[in-house]
């Protein structure tokens, strides 16, 4: 999203475009998948005075505006990424921490079954599957 589009969206909601909001959104877009702590580290490289509370509040605002979304990829902080990206399922390796993505269509049969049998609508953008990646599985076989 361009800065002028962000400014326009914020103004339409009665909010101002601040340097912190610009920096936080830019950090999420550049990092791809990032925890608030990782966003904080990236923002502090440009603006040392921005504290972690500002990062959390700004991420919450950007999520309410529909610009970012979050997923829980571990027991720690949520991981944020741009909401405009294609929806995807996260594959998280418990060994090395690598995060991969697959098409939500791979889960479509399960999502359809849950909808039909239980009336449950899966939010695929928030799905994370945990396991061991191919590289770690192969390394484990050779050791």
């Amino acid at each position: 999203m361009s800065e002028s589009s962000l400014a326009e969206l914020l103004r339409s909601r009665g909010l101002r475009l601040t340097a912190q909001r610009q920096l936080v959104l830019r950090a999420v877009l550049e990092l791809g998948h990032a925890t608030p702590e990782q966003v904080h580290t990236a923002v502090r490289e440009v603006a040392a005075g921005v504290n972690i509370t500002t990062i959390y509040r700004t991420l919450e605002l950007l999520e309410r505006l529909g610009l970012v979304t979050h997923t829980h990829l571990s027991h720690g902080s949520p991981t944020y990424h741009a909401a405009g990206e294609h929806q995807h399922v996260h594959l998280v390796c418990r060994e090395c921490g690598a995060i991969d993505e697959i098409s939500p269509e791979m889960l479509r049969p399960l999502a359809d079954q849950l909808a039909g049998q239980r009336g449950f609508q899966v939010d695929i953008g928030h799905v994370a599957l945990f396991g061991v990646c191919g590289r770690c599985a192969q390394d484990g076989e050779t050791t």
Side-chain angles (χ1 to χ4, degrees):
M1 166 173 272
S2 70
E3 289 182 14
S4 61
S5 298
L6 177 58
E8 188 176 307
L9 177 61
L10 289 167
R11 274 196 298 273
S12 74
R13 303 280 176 95
L15 302 167
R16 294 182 307 114
L17 176 62
T18 64
Q20 291 91 345
R21 290 172 180 163
Q22 288 175 302
L23 291 170
V24 169
L25 182 58
R26 186 176 304 135
V28 171
L29 295 174
E30 289 175 0
L31 294 169
H33 291 91
T35 65
E37 292 77 15
Q38 292 167 323
V39 171
H40 185 235
T41 298
V43 168
R44 285 185 56 117
E45 290 178 7
V46 178
V50 178
N51 65 41
I52 191 71
T53 303
T54 299
I55 300 297
Y56 274 97
R57 287 182 182 153
T58 302
L59 288 168
E60 289 172 6
L61 171 65
L62 294 174
E63 189 163 28
R64 282 195 311 272
L65 294 172
L67 299 174
V68 302
T69 188
H70 77 277
T71 302
H72 293 276
L73 299 180
S74 67
H75 294 292
S77 298
T79 300
Y80 288 83
H81 57 90
E85 293 180 352
H86 64 283
Q87 279 202 327
H88 53 273
V89 176
H90 299 91
L91 302 177
V92 183
C93 180
R94 290 191 189 276
E95 298 291 322
C96 69
I99 300 169
D100 200 359
E101 300 172 2
I102 61 170
S103 168
E105 292 311 308
M106 292 186 77
L107 292 186
R108 182 62 47 213
L110 174 61
D112 291 346
Q113 187 176 7
L114 288 170
Q117 291 180 4
R118 306 255 175 134
F120 187 82
Q121 301 295 313
V122 176
D123 181 358
I124 291 178
H126 281 85
V127 172
L129 300 174
F130 295 83
V132 178
C133 71
R135 187 177 64 234
C136 288
Q138 186 176 19
D139 289 349
E141 290 174 4
T142 60
T143 57

